[in-house]
Amino acid sequence: MIRARVSGKLWSTRHIGTLPSGALLEVETETGTKLIAFDPLGCADGETVLVTQGSVAAGFFPEKSAPIDALIIGSIDEQTSKAK
């Protein structure tokens, strides 16, 4: 999984019919890499999210052949760290 922050939303009036309901969001990873991720959750700009990629992302939608390479699978509400 990849931790990233939502940095924008993409609008597409035309797309492949097998794309499930959701949004296309631009996310930026902790290393500065930007990805376009499919969001079935309704995440907001600036929100910290968890992203998965590859066959796991596409396989999340068994009823459709979804052409998805990056999928937002969770929203991080809080993070705690143990002191060393």
Side-chain angles (χ1 to χ4, degrees), residues 19-49:
L19 197 62
S21 295
L24 295 172
L25 301 181
E26 181 181 68
V27 298
E28 186 171 347
T29 69
E30 293 176 317
T31 62
T33 302
K34 291 189 177 186
L35 302 170
I36 303 303
F38 186 77
D39 174 28
L41 305 176
C43 296
D45 194 37
E47 196 168 340
T48 303
V49 295

Side-chain angles (χ1 to χ4, degrees), residues 52-75:
T52 189
Q53 288 186 285
S55 61
V56 172
F60 179 75
F61 303 97
E63 68 282 353
K64 294 185 175 187
S65 177
I68 295 171
D69 183 55
L71 175 67
I72 295 175
I73 58 169
S75 173

